[in-house]
Structures are given as structure tokens and as C-alpha cells.
Amino acid sequence: MAQEWERNRERRGERYAPAPPGGGGGCLAGPVRWVVLVLVVPVRAVWDVLVAAAKGLGAGLLWLGERLVAAPAVWLCRQVLAPVGRGAVWSLRAAGAAVAWVWRRLVVAPVVWGWRWLVAAPAAWLYSYLLTPLGHGLRRLLHALVVAPATALHRYVLRPVGTAVTWVCRAVVGLVAAGARATGAGGRWLAYTLVVAPVSWTYRRVLTPAGHGTVWTLRRTGRGIAAGARGAAAGAAWMWRWTVAAPAVWVHGHVLAPVGRGTVRLLRAAGAGLAWTWRRLVVAPVAWGWRWLVVAPVSLLWSYVLKPLGLGLLWPARGLVTVAVLVLRALLAPFVLLWRHVLAPAWAVAGRFTRRLWNATARPAGRAVRDGWRAARDAVAAARATARRTRLELRSALVGAPRGPVPETAPHTPEPPARVLPADLPAPAADLAKHGPRRGGRHR
């Protein structure tokens, strides 16, 4: 205990100055020992008694809670609630299995049979033996009446006509180009002969030597050149009119326009014939077949088979649902009555009894235990604090602090003031043998 006190003192940072010379604790060891025995031992005995009493009271309250609360709750759960729950689960499983069997036998099986033999089988037969041959026939008829005539028209009429029109256009364009080339060559020769050569000769032979005297002659020559140019222009216009424009107009009026009008009329007649053929041979049979072979049988099937069958199945289904509801209500009625008239009132009465018993016994006992515990704890704390202060005061005033090493960093520091220890700090045990008489010596 002395070593623990030394370690606690060093950990708290307490340092004491060495005892004054001539002072010792050997003569006061007896009084200090009696004071410690008188103050510490009774407080420790009272503390042990209070701890034992608190443990016994806690064990008694735990036993009372197990006997009055836990055991009845476990018995109620095992003997009442668990059997009732298992019975309810078994009843619900049996009712669910019965309802599922009735649903499969009276609803699902008739619906599957009706769909298989009244809808799927007729539809498969209709598709295999009516719609498929009708589709193949329509495809062959369309190929014979539309695709083959259109191919022959394109191969033996439209393509030769297009080839002829292309050849005529190419010939006309070649004639026009040849006339334009001839007209250009004649115009160039005439211009060179009537304009360029006289002007060049006049400039070289007449204008340069004559100077201002040839102005009158130049004017007259210019007038002649203008007249020649007008004549050349008139000739070129006449040649363009009768070699290019007139043949082109005749070709357009007597060849291209009749061919174009005939082609347009032929195409219109072919389109009208194809449209009439499409409406009469394709659209009308398909509409008639859809109306009388699909819509009418489906309407009759819905009106006289599916709708009465659905109404006939709906009535038994409603009856079965009503019967299932009545069966479930009859099966669950005893459990509902048991809960409403037995378990719920018993649970309420048990809750009120347990609540009143708890309020009457456990809560006052708990308050008393808590108050006693608090009072004992405060008394023990006060006693420990008083004993600690008294022991420290006696130790400091009479015995003196034990000798110990002085820190080298502060050899001349003054003695620190006495520290007041907190109340909840454990009281150090006094080592009475440390302050006893020394071996081989005498009392001072």
C-alpha cells in the first residue's frame, strides 16, 4: 500500500521538500496509527456492509421480476398464444389450399379448354385451310395481272419509244450544231473580207500618208462599211431563220409534240387500266374476304360462343368466391370470438394488474433503494473526504512529509502549497511500519 501511495503521489506530480534537520516520525508513529485505525477502519466496514446490502437487494428484485413478470409472460406465450397461432396458420393454409383447388378446377381448367378448342383450333384451321391458299392465289393473280403486263409494257413499248425519242433529239441537236458552225464560219469570212482587209489596206496605204486629207474619204468608207455590215447581218439572220429555226420548229410541231402527247395518253390509259384492275381484282376481293371470312365469323363467335361462355363462367366464379368468403368467415369466427371475448379482456386485465403491482411494489422499492444508495454514497464520500483531509493535516503537522529526492532542475524552489484532493479519489493506505522505530537504534 505504501508503494502504491508513492506511485500515486509521483504520478500526480507532488513533490515535497526534504524534512528539516532534527525532525523525525518515530515518536509519533503510535498516535498516527491509532488515528488511522479509528477513522479508516469504521468507514471501510460501513462501506462493505452497504455494498453487501445493495447486492442482496438487487438479487431480490431480480428474483421478484422473474417470478411475477417473466414466468407468467413465458407461460402465456407457450400455453396460449403459440397454440392459437399454430391453429390459425393451419386453418389459413387449409382454406388457401381449398380455394386454390376450386379456382383451378372450376375457373382455370374451363377457360383453358375453351380457349384451346373454341378459339385456338378454329383460328389455326382458318389460317391453314383458308387464309394461306387465299394469300397464295392473290399473289399469283397480282403477278399475272399487274407485274407481267407492266414488265411487257416497259420492255416492248416504253423502252423503244424512249430510244426513238433519244435518236431524234440527238439528230436535231447535230443539225443545229452544224448550222451554227457553218453560220459562224461564213460570218467570220465575210467580216474578214469586207471589214478587216479593207481597213488594214486603207490604214497602211491611204490613212498614214494622207493624214488630215483622208478624213473625208475615211468617213465615206465608214459609211460603206456600215452598209456592208448591215447587209452581212441581214444575210446571217436569213440563214439562221431558214437553216436552224424553221427546221427546229417543224420537227417540234410535227414530230416531238405528237410523240409526247401520244406517250402521255398511253401512260394515262395504262395507269387507268391498272388502277381499275387493282380495284376490281385485288381490293374488292380482299375487302369481301375480310368482311365475310374474318369479321363475320369472329363477330358470330364472340356473340354466340365467347360472350355466353364468359357470362356462364363468371356466374360460377362469383358463387365460388362467395362460398370461399363464407367458409373463411366461418373458420375464422371462433378465433375472432376467442380473441375478442377471452384473450383481449384477459390481456387487458393482466396488463392492469401488472401495472398496478409494478406501481405499488417495484417503483416504491426502486425509489427507496435509489434514495438509500444516494444517501449512503454521499455519506461514504463525505466520510472518505473527512478522513483524507484529517490524515493529511495530521501527517503534515505532526509527522512531516517523507524524505525524497529533490529535482535537480529546481534545487532552491520553495515548497508548493498543500493540495486539496478531490472527494472521489481513493484514500491511500498508511504504512504504519514505515514510521516505526528503526532497527538497531533508539527513539529520538
Side-chain angles (χ1 to χ4, degrees):
M1 298 298 291
Q3 295 177 359
E4 183 179 0
W5 165 252
E6 293 294 334
R7 285 197 299 269
N8 293 334
R9 182 178 60 80
E10 291 179 0
R11 185 167 57 250
R12 290 193 303 268
E14 296 179 358
R15 295 293 185 270
Y16 295 95
C27 61
L28 297 178
V32 170
R33 183 178 302 167
W34 285 106
V35 169
V36 170
L37 292 176
V38 170
L39 292 177
V40 174
V41 173
V43 172
R44 185 58 181 268
V46 172
W47 173 259
D48 294 338
V49 171
L50 291 176
V51 169
K55 289 182 179 179
L57 183 60
L61 292 176
L62 181 61
W63 180 86
L64 186 62
E66 290 179 355
R67 292 297 183 273
L68 296 180
V69 179
V74 171
W75 180 86
L76 181 63
C77 180
R78 291 179 179 176
Q79 303 297 329
V80 179
L81 298 181
V84 170
R86 286 192 291 270
V89 170
W90 181 85
S91 301
L92 291 177
R93 287 181 178 176
V99 171
W101 184 85
V102 171
W103 175 262
R104 288 195 301 270
R105 296 300 179 183
L106 298 181
V107 178
V108 177
V111 170
V112 171
W113 183 88
W115 174 262
R116 182 177 180 181
W117 297 106
L118 298 179
V119 179
W125 181 87
L126 183 65
Y127 176 78
S128 300
Y129 297 100
L130 185 60
L131 296 180
T132 301
L134 181 62
H136 289 297
L138 291 177
R139 182 176 60 82
R140 293 176 182 176
L141 183 62
L142 180 64
H143 183 272
L145 296 178
V146 178
V147 178
T151 303
L153 179 64
H154 177 267
R155 183 177 298 172
Y156 299 106
V157 178
L158 298 180
R159 182 181 292 176
V161 171
T163 304
V165 171
T166 303
W167 183 82
V168 172
C169 291
R170 287 180 179 177
V172 171
V173 171
L175 292 176
V176 172
R181 286 194 297 270
T183 304
R188 286 195 301 272
W189 178 82
L190 186 60
Y192 180 79
T193 303
L194 297 178
V195 178
V196 178
V199 170
S200 300
W201 182 85
T202 302
Y203 178 78
R204 288 193 304 266
R205 302 296 180 179
V206 178
L207 295 180
T208 301
H212 293 286
T214 61
V215 173
W216 180 84
T217 304
L218 184 60
R219 287 178 180 177
R220 295 290 184 253
T221 305
R223 291 174 182 177
I225 292 172
R230 283 194 298 270
W238 181 86
M239 291 181 65
W240 173 264
R241 180 179 180 182
W242 295 106
T243 58
V244 178
V249 171
W250 184 87
V251 170
H252 180 270
H254 293 83
V255 178
L256 297 180
V259 171
R261 285 192 292 270
T263 304
V264 170
R265 291 176 182 176
L266 181 61
L267 291 177
R268 287 181 179 176
L274 291 177
W276 183 86
T277 304
W278 175 263
R279 287 196 302 270
R280 294 301 179 183
L281 299 179
V282 178
V283 177
V286 170
W288 183 87
W290 174 261
R291 181 178 180 181
W292 296 105
L293 297 177
V294 178
V295 177
V298 171
S299 300
L300 293 176
L301 181 65
W302 168 257
S303 300
Y304 296 101
V305 177
L306 297 180
K307 189 175 181 180
L309 180 61
L311 295 177
L313 293 176
L314 182 62
W315 183 78
R318 289 181 178 176
L320 290 176
V321 171
T322 305
V323 170
V325 171
L326 294 177
V327 170
L328 290 176
R329 184 179 297 176
L331 292 175
L332 296 177
F335 299 102
V336 173
L337 294 177
L338 178 63
W339 169 258
R340 184 179 298 173
H341 298 289
V342 178
L343 297 180
W347 183 266
V349 171
R352 294 193 186 96
F353 176 74
T354 305
R355 191 181 302 110
R356 291 181 180 178
L357 181 63
W358 177 266
N359 295 332
T361 58
R363 286 190 176 179
R367 294 193 187 96
V369 170
R370 285 195 298 270
D371 295 340
W373 175 261
R374 290 172 183 173
R377 185 179 59 186
D378 296 339
V380 170
R384 290 175 63 186
T386 303
R388 188 181 296 108
R389 286 194 296 271
T390 303
R391 186 170 62 254
L392 291 177
E393 291 177 359
L394 290 174
R395 190 185 188 89
S396 300
L398 300 177
V399 180
R403 295 181 181 181
V406 180
E408 299 178 359
T409 55
H412 302 288
T413 53
E415 181 181 357
R419 297 180 60 185
V420 178
L421 299 177
D424 57 350
L425 191 67
D431 190 4
L432 301 180
K434 185 177 181 180
H435 303 285
R438 296 180 180 180
R439 297 180 180 179
R442 60 181 181 177
H443 295 284
R444 294 182 180 180

